[in-house]
Amino acid sequence: MQTVTTIGLDIAKSVFQVHGVDAGGQVIVRQQLKRRYVLTFFRKLSPCLVGIEACGSAHHWSRELQALGHTVRLMPPAYVKPYVKRQKNDATDAEAICEAVTRANMRFVPTKTPEQQSGLVLHRTRHLFIRQQTSVINAIRAHLAEYGIVAPVGRQGVVELLTVVADPNDRRVPEIARACLAALGAQLRRMKEQILEFDRLIRAWHRSNEMSMRLEEAPGVGPVLATALVAAVADPKSFRSGRNFSAWIGMVPKQHSSGGKNRLGNISKQDDRYLRGLFVAGALSVIRYAKIYGAKHRPWLTALLARRPTKVAAIALANKIARMVWVMMARGERYNEPVALAR
């Protein structure tokens, strides 16, 4: 066991798989481990390189194994898949991880701190509540539409519908349906209160984080996007450039190039969908402001809007903002207003 230099660890909920090799690549250990025996097993080993797929609970195990003196490398599962030989099972997955972690050109995922993961939990929970809120609103509208009761789109329209539900003298809604809709209305109010509480927590965290406060200076970046970036990006310097960072978010064109001919398609829409949505929303807010107050101080945006639809321009602007944000994070700089924007 003392000769093991590299280990591929396939993690799971209960049963883990270990594949360890020596410096010459010879297999030394290949076995299953119950969850409760994982740390005991690694305590007996001298410090070695451990590869893990960046999936659920991977950051926890990375921190635990690093505390024991091991060097841990997290890898995207998609980059490990090409090393899987024939049939897929835990043993071949662990072997593939062990092989992939030694590749010189492999890309690794920095380990997140518990604080960063807490921030992600906050954002994901808020996002889940917003989706559930939309679902409840759609249910209320759909059920009342069955009785010919409709209202305009928007917050005021929902208020009108709930007013109808709360009025016992309105005979258009049967009593059984009224009771069900009243329960949906009560659930909707509780969700709104909880979302407001999540927003308060995000603003408080934003004010306490220096990097988040700096990122808010960039156009189209508010407390929600700033805190999401701080939580999601463990190490900005792990990206070689702003384009790589934008590609990670999924806002660069897909390539179908061959024979020296460059063919670019739509954006890839890969990886972090949540961050991509926040960047696009921020870009749309910048465009909306420019349309109301004029875009003469943003000549690049003015020219883009003149030849492209608004949503296409929003994607391009979101890509531009993402690259600026990466520079601010990687170099510790503040937002520098371009000369063309200075008044």
Side-chain angles (χ1 to χ4, degrees):
M1 297 293 288
Q2 298 299 322
T3 59
V4 175
T5 59
T6 307
I7 286 181
L9 178 62
D10 183 49
I11 60 178
K13 293 181 179 179
S14 301
V15 180
F16 293 29
Q17 182 73 34
V18 173
H19 184 94
V21 300
D22 61 12
Q26 296 298 317
V27 178
I28 303 299
V29 57
R30 184 190 289 119
Q31 71 179 84
Q32 287 186 346
L33 291 175
K34 294 290 186 180
R35 181 185 180 91
R36 59 181 178 274
Y37 298 131
V38 172
L39 293 181
T40 302
F41 173 84
F42 280 96
R43 285 193 187 99
K44 298 177 182 179
L45 295 178
S46 56
C48 59
L49 175 63
V50 181
I52 304 175
E53 287 184 330
C55 53
S57 75
H59 293 275
H60 162 73
W61 288 110
S62 176
R63 292 191 297 266
E64 292 291 329
L65 297 181
Q66 286 180 15
L68 297 178
H70 298 287
T71 300
V72 183
R73 295 286 183 266
L74 304 181
M75 298 167 290
Y79 295 166
V80 176
K81 186 177 180 180
Y83 296 92
V84 176
K85 299 175 182 177
R86 289 184 178 269
Q87 305 298 329
K88 183 188 184 305
N89 53 54
D90 291 347
T92 55
D93 283 350
E95 182 180 359
I97 294 170
C98 186
E99 175 69 20
V101 75
T102 60
R103 299 299 92 192
N105 61 346
M106 178 56 61
R107 296 180 181 179
F108 300 109
V109 178
T111 301
K112 291 183 175 62
T113 65
E115 291 74 19
Q116 287 176 314
Q117 288 189 292
S118 297
L120 287 177
V121 170
L122 173 58
H123 277 272
R124 288 169 180 169
T125 306
R126 174 182 177 272
H127 190 51
L128 174 62
F129 269 68
I130 291 175
R131 295 203 311 269
Q132 291 177 341
Q133 175 185 253
T134 303
S135 178
V136 171
I137 291 173
N138 290 340
I140 293 173
R141 287 183 176 276
H143 293 325
L144 286 174
E146 294 295 329
Y147 301 103
I149 305 173
V150 296
V153 176
R155 184 179 303 175
Q156 189 59 38
V158 178
V159 172
E160 292 178 12
L161 294 177
L162 293 178
T163 302
V164 172
V165 173
D167 185 6
N169 297 322
D170 194 322
R171 298 302 179 183
R172 292 177 296 175
V173 183
E175 289 305 317
I176 294 178
R178 188 186 304 278
C180 296
L181 290 167
L184 289 175
Q187 183 180 1
L188 180 61
R189 285 189 290 272
R190 288 193 297 269
M191 285 182 177
K192 288 182 179 293
E193 293 173 357
Q194 188 60 67
I195 292 172
L196 290 175
E197 176 62 18
F198 289 146
D199 290 339
R200 186 192 65 79
L201 292 174
I202 287 176
R203 287 193 298 271
W205 183 32
H206 169 68
R207 289 191 293 268
S208 66
N209 189 283
E210 185 270 338
M211 179 181 289
S212 182
M213 292 289 287
R214 278 194 294 107
L215 293 179
E216 191 186 17
E217 298 174 1
V221 179
V224 175
L225 176 54
T227 52
L229 285 168
V230 172
V233 184
D235 182 14
K237 295 182 180 179
S238 62
F239 301 97
R240 293 195 298 269
S241 65
R243 188 188 187 282
N244 282 6
F245 176 70
S246 185
W248 174 66
I249 299 173
M251 290 194 300
V252 299
K254 290 187 293 185
Q255 290 195 36
H256 301 278
S257 304
S258 179
K261 295 182 179 180
N262 294 327
R263 297 184 181 89
L264 301 180
N266 299 327
I267 60 173
S268 64
K269 294 186 180 180
Q270 294 180 351
D271 294 304
D272 204 316
R273 182 178 181 180
Y274 179 66
L275 279 180
R276 185 169 62 253
L278 292 178
F279 270 112
V280 173
L284 285 171
S285 69
V286 174
I287 292 175
R288 190 181 306 113
Y289 183 90
K291 287 184 175 180
I292 295 174
Y293 298 100
K296 61 181 181 179
H297 297 291
R298 298 183 184 276
W300 177 84
L301 181 59
T302 302
L304 184 62
L305 289 171
R307 66 179 188 272
R308 290 289 186 270
T310 299
K311 290 188 177 180
V312 175
I315 297 296
L317 181 58
N319 188 1
K320 191 179 186 73
I321 294 172
R323 299 184 187 212
M324 291 190 297
V325 164
W326 175 81
V327 172
M328 296 170 65
M329 297 177 69
R331 301 178 184 176
E333 299 178 357
R334 307 190 75 87
Y335 175 70
N336 295 320
E337 190 177 24
V339 176
L341 300 181
R343 299 189 180 186

Coordinates of all heavy atoms in Angstrom, one line a residue, residues 104-149:
A104 N -1.6 15.3 -18.9 CA -1.1 16.7 -18.7 C -2.0 17.8 -19.2 O -2.0 18.9 -18.7 CB 0.3 16.8 -19.5
N105 N -2.9 17.5 -20.1 CA -3.8 18.5 -20.7 C -5.2 18.4 -20.1 O -6.1 19.0 -20.6 CB -3.9 18.3 -22.2 CG -4.4 17.0 -22.6 OD1 -4.5 16.0 -21.8 ND2 -4.8 16.8 -23.9
M106 N -5.3 17.7 -19.0 CA -6.6 17.5 -18.3 C -7.0 18.8 -17.7 O -6.1 19.5 -17.1 CB -6.6 16.4 -17.3 CG -7.9 16.2 -16.5 SD -9.4 15.9 -17.6 CE -8.9 14.4 -18.5
R107 N -8.3 19.2 -17.7 CA -8.8 20.4 -17.0 C -9.4 20.0 -15.7 O -10.2 19.1 -15.6 CB -9.8 21.1 -17.8 CG -9.2 21.6 -19.2 CD -10.3 22.3 -20.0 NE -9.8 22.8 -21.3 CZ -10.5 23.5 -22.2 NH1 -11.8 23.7 -22.0 NH2 -9.9 23.9 -23.3
F108 N -9.1 20.7 -14.6 CA -9.5 20.4 -13.3 C -10.4 21.5 -12.7 O -10.4 22.6 -13.2 CB -8.3 20.2 -12.4 CG -7.4 19.1 -12.8 CD1 -6.1 19.5 -13.3 CD2 -7.7 17.8 -12.7 CE1 -5.2 18.5 -13.7 CE2 -6.9 16.8 -13.1 CZ -5.6 17.1 -13.6
V109 N -11.2 21.1 -11.8 CA -12.2 22.0 -11.1 C -11.7 22.3 -9.7 O -11.4 21.4 -8.9 CB -13.6 21.3 -11.0 CG1 -14.6 22.2 -10.3 CG2 -14.1 20.9 -12.4
P110 N -11.5 23.6 -9.4 CA -11.0 24.0 -8.1 C -12.0 23.6 -7.0 O -13.2 23.6 -7.2 CB -10.9 25.5 -8.2 CG -10.8 25.8 -9.7 CD -11.6 24.8 -10.3
T111 N -11.5 23.2 -5.9 CA -12.4 22.8 -4.8 C -13.0 24.0 -4.1 O -12.3 25.0 -3.8 CB -11.5 22.0 -3.7 OG1 -11.0 20.9 -4.3 CG2 -12.4 21.5 -2.6
K112 N -14.3 24.0 -3.9 CA -15.0 25.1 -3.3 C -14.9 25.0 -1.8 O -14.9 23.9 -1.2 CB -16.5 25.1 -3.8 CG -16.7 25.4 -5.2 CD -18.2 25.5 -5.6 CE -18.4 26.0 -7.0 NZ -17.8 25.1 -8.0
T113 N -15.0 26.1 -1.1 CA -15.0 26.2 0.3 C -16.4 26.0 0.8 O -17.4 26.2 0.0 CB -14.5 27.6 0.8 OG1 -15.4 28.6 0.3 CG2 -13.1 27.8 0.3
P114 N -16.6 25.6 2.1 CA -18.0 25.5 2.6 C -18.8 26.8 2.4 O -20.0 26.8 2.2 CB -17.8 25.2 4.1 CG -16.4 24.5 4.1 CD -15.6 25.2 3.0
E115 N -18.1 28.0 2.6 CA -18.8 29.2 2.4 C -19.4 29.4 1.0 O -20.5 29.9 0.8 CB -17.9 30.4 2.8 CG -17.6 30.5 4.3 CD -16.6 29.4 4.7 OE1 -15.9 28.8 3.8 OE2 -16.5 29.1 5.9
Q116 N -18.5 29.1 0.0 CA -19.0 29.2 -1.4 C -20.2 28.2 -1.7 O -21.1 28.6 -2.4 CB -17.8 28.9 -2.3 CG -16.8 30.0 -2.4 CD -15.6 29.6 -3.3 OE1 -15.1 28.5 -3.2 NE2 -15.2 30.5 -4.2
Q117 N -20.1 27.0 -1.1 CA -21.2 26.1 -1.3 C -22.5 26.6 -0.6 O -23.6 26.3 -1.1 CB -20.8 24.7 -0.8 CG -19.8 24.0 -1.7 CD -19.6 22.6 -1.4 OE1 -19.0 22.3 -0.3 NE2 -20.0 21.7 -2.2
S118 N -22.3 27.2 0.5 CA -23.5 27.8 1.2 C -24.1 28.9 0.3 O -25.4 28.9 0.2 CB -23.1 28.4 2.5 OG -22.6 27.5 3.4
G119 N -23.3 29.7 -0.4 CA -23.9 30.7 -1.3 C -24.6 30.0 -2.5 O -25.7 30.5 -2.9
L120 N -24.1 28.9 -3.0 CA -24.8 28.2 -4.0 C -26.1 27.6 -3.6 O -27.1 27.6 -4.3 CB -23.9 27.1 -4.6 CG -22.7 27.6 -5.5 CD1 -21.8 26.4 -5.9 CD2 -23.2 28.3 -6.7
V121 N -26.1 27.1 -2.3 CA -27.3 26.6 -1.8 C -28.4 27.7 -1.7 O -29.6 27.5 -2.0 CB -27.1 25.9 -0.4 CG1 -28.4 25.6 0.3 CG2 -26.3 24.7 -0.5
L122 N -28.0 28.9 -1.3 CA -28.9 30.0 -1.2 C -29.5 30.3 -2.5 O -30.7 30.5 -2.7 CB -28.2 31.2 -0.6 CG -28.9 32.5 -0.5 CD1 -30.2 32.4 0.3 CD2 -28.0 33.6 0.1
H123 N -28.6 30.4 -3.5 CA -29.1 30.8 -4.9 C -30.0 29.7 -5.5 O -31.0 30.0 -6.1 CB -27.9 31.1 -5.8 CG -27.3 32.4 -5.7 ND1 -27.8 33.5 -6.4 CD2 -26.4 33.0 -4.9 CE1 -27.2 34.6 -6.1 NE2 -26.3 34.3 -5.2
R124 N -29.6 28.5 -5.3 CA -30.4 27.4 -5.9 C -31.7 27.2 -5.2 O -32.7 26.9 -5.8 CB -29.6 26.1 -5.8 CG -28.4 26.0 -6.8 CD -27.5 24.9 -6.5 NE -26.4 24.8 -7.4 CZ -25.3 24.1 -7.3 NH1 -25.2 23.2 -6.2 NH2 -24.3 24.1 -8.2
T125 N -31.7 27.5 -3.9 CA -33.0 27.4 -3.2 C -33.9 28.5 -3.6 O -35.1 28.3 -3.8 CB -32.8 27.4 -1.7 OG1 -31.8 26.4 -1.3 CG2 -34.1 27.2 -0.9
R126 N -33.4 29.7 -3.7 CA -34.2 30.9 -4.2 C -34.7 30.6 -5.6 O -35.9 30.9 -5.9 CB -33.3 32.1 -4.2 CG -34.0 33.4 -4.8 CD -33.1 34.5 -4.8 NE -33.6 35.7 -5.4 CZ -33.6 36.0 -6.7 NH1 -32.9 35.1 -7.5 NH2 -34.1 37.1 -7.2
H127 N -33.9 30.1 -6.5 CA -34.3 29.8 -7.8 C -35.4 28.7 -7.8 O -36.4 28.8 -8.6 CB -33.1 29.3 -8.7 CG -33.4 29.2 -10.1 ND1 -33.9 30.2 -10.9 CD2 -33.2 28.2 -11.0 CE1 -34.0 29.8 -12.1 NE2 -33.6 28.6 -12.2
L128 N -35.3 27.7 -7.0 CA -36.3 26.7 -6.9 C -37.7 27.3 -6.4 O -38.7 26.9 -7.0 CB -35.9 25.6 -5.9 CG -36.9 24.5 -5.6 CD1 -37.3 23.7 -6.8 CD2 -36.4 23.5 -4.5
F129 N -37.6 28.1 -5.4 CA -38.8 28.8 -5.0 C -39.5 29.6 -6.1 O -40.7 29.7 -6.2 CB -38.6 29.6 -3.7 CG -38.7 28.9 -2.4 CD1 -37.8 27.8 -2.1 CD2 -39.7 29.1 -1.6 CE1 -38.0 27.1 -0.9 CE2 -39.9 28.4 -0.4 CZ -39.0 27.4 -0.1
I130 N -38.7 30.3 -6.9 CA -39.2 31.1 -7.9 C -39.9 30.3 -9.0 O -41.0 30.6 -9.5 CB -38.1 32.0 -8.6 CG1 -37.6 33.1 -7.6 CG2 -38.5 32.6 -9.9 CD1 -36.4 33.9 -8.1
R131 N -39.3 29.1 -9.3 CA -39.9 28.2 -10.3 C -41.2 27.7 -9.7 O -42.2 27.5 -10.4 CB -39.0 27.1 -10.6 CG -37.7 27.5 -11.4 CD -37.1 26.3 -12.1 NE -37.0 25.1 -11.3 CZ -35.9 24.8 -10.6 NH1 -34.9 25.6 -10.6 NH2 -35.9 23.7 -9.9
Q132 N -41.2 27.3 -8.4 CA -42.5 26.8 -7.8 C -43.5 27.9 -7.8 O -44.7 27.6 -7.9 CB -42.2 26.3 -6.4 CG -41.3 25.0 -6.4 CD -41.0 24.6 -5.0 OE1 -41.1 25.3 -4.1 NE2 -40.6 23.3 -4.9
Q133 N -43.1 29.1 -7.5 CA -44.0 30.3 -7.5 C -44.7 30.4 -8.9 O -45.9 30.6 -9.0 CB -43.3 31.5 -7.2 CG -44.2 32.8 -7.2 CD -43.4 34.1 -7.0 OE1 -43.5 34.7 -5.9 NE2 -42.5 34.4 -7.9
T134 N -43.9 30.3 -9.9 CA -44.5 30.4 -11.3 C -45.4 29.3 -11.6 O -46.5 29.4 -12.2 CB -43.3 30.4 -12.3 OG1 -42.4 31.4 -12.1 CG2 -43.9 30.5 -13.7
S135 N -45.1 28.1 -11.1 CA -46.0 26.9 -11.3 C -47.3 27.1 -10.6 O -48.4 26.8 -11.1 CB -45.3 25.7 -10.7 OG -46.1 24.5 -10.8
V136 N -47.3 27.7 -9.3 CA -48.5 27.9 -8.6 C -49.4 29.0 -9.3 O -50.6 28.8 -9.4 CB -48.2 28.3 -7.1 CG1 -49.5 28.8 -6.4 CG2 -47.6 27.1 -6.4
I137 N -48.7 30.0 -9.8 CA -49.5 31.1 -10.5 C -50.1 30.5 -11.7 O -51.3 30.8 -12.0 CB -48.5 32.2 -10.8 CG1 -48.1 33.0 -9.6 CG2 -49.2 33.2 -11.8 CD1 -47.1 34.1 -9.8
N138 N -49.4 29.7 -12.5 CA -50.0 29.1 -13.7 C -51.2 28.2 -13.3 O -52.2 28.1 -14.1 CB -48.9 28.3 -14.4 CG -47.9 29.2 -15.1 OD1 -48.1 30.4 -15.3 ND2 -46.7 28.7 -15.4
A139 N -51.0 27.5 -12.2 CA -52.1 26.6 -11.8 C -53.4 27.4 -11.4 O -54.5 27.0 -11.8 CB -51.7 25.7 -10.6
I140 N -53.2 28.5 -10.7 CA -54.4 29.4 -10.4 C -55.0 29.9 -11.6 O -56.3 29.9 -11.8 CB -53.9 30.5 -9.4 CG1 -53.4 29.9 -8.1 CG2 -55.0 31.5 -9.3 CD1 -52.8 31.0 -7.2
R141 N -54.2 30.4 -12.6 CA -54.8 30.9 -13.8 C -55.5 29.8 -14.6 O -56.6 30.1 -15.1 CB -53.7 31.5 -14.7 CG -53.1 32.8 -14.1 CD -52.1 33.4 -15.1 NE -51.6 34.7 -14.6 CZ -52.2 35.9 -14.9 NH1 -53.3 35.9 -15.6 NH2 -51.7 37.0 -14.5
A142 N -54.9 28.7 -14.7 CA -55.5 27.6 -15.5 C -56.8 27.1 -14.9 O -57.8 26.9 -15.6 CB -54.5 26.4 -15.6
H143 N -56.9 26.9 -13.5 CA -58.1 26.5 -12.9 C -59.2 27.5 -13.0 O -60.4 27.1 -13.3 CB -57.8 26.2 -11.4 CG -56.9 25.0 -11.2 ND1 -56.8 23.9 -12.0 CD2 -55.9 24.8 -10.2 CE1 -55.9 23.1 -11.6 NE2 -55.3 23.6 -10.5
L144 N -58.9 28.7 -12.8 CA -60.0 29.8 -12.9 C -60.4 30.0 -14.4 O -61.6 30.3 -14.6 CB -59.5 31.1 -12.3 CG -59.5 31.1 -10.8 CD1 -58.8 32.4 -10.3 CD2 -60.8 30.9 -10.2
A145 N -59.5 29.7 -15.3 CA -59.9 29.9 -16.7 C -61.0 28.8 -17.1 O -61.8 29.0 -18.0 CB -58.7 29.7 -17.6
E146 N -61.0 27.7 -16.4 CA -62.0 26.7 -16.7 C -63.4 27.2 -16.3 O -64.4 26.6 -16.8 CB -61.7 25.4 -15.8 CG -60.5 24.7 -16.2 CD -60.5 24.1 -17.6 OE1 -61.7 23.7 -18.1 OE2 -59.5 24.0 -18.3
Y147 N -63.5 28.2 -15.5 CA -64.8 28.8 -15.2 C -65.0 30.2 -15.9 O -65.9 30.9 -15.5 CB -64.9 29.0 -13.7 CG -64.8 27.7 -12.9 CD1 -63.6 27.4 -12.2 CD2 -65.8 26.8 -12.8 CE1 -63.4 26.2 -11.6 CE2 -65.7 25.6 -12.1 CZ -64.5 25.3 -11.5 OH -64.3 24.1 -10.8
G148 N -64.2 30.4 -16.9 CA -64.3 31.6 -17.7 C -63.8 32.9 -17.0 O -64.1 34.0 -17.4
I149 N -63.0 32.7 -15.9 CA -62.4 33.8 -15.2 C -60.9 34.0 -15.6 O -60.1 33.1 -15.3 CB -62.5 33.6 -13.7 CG1 -64.0 33.4 -13.3 CG2 -62.0 34.8 -12.9 CD1 -64.2 33.0 -11.8

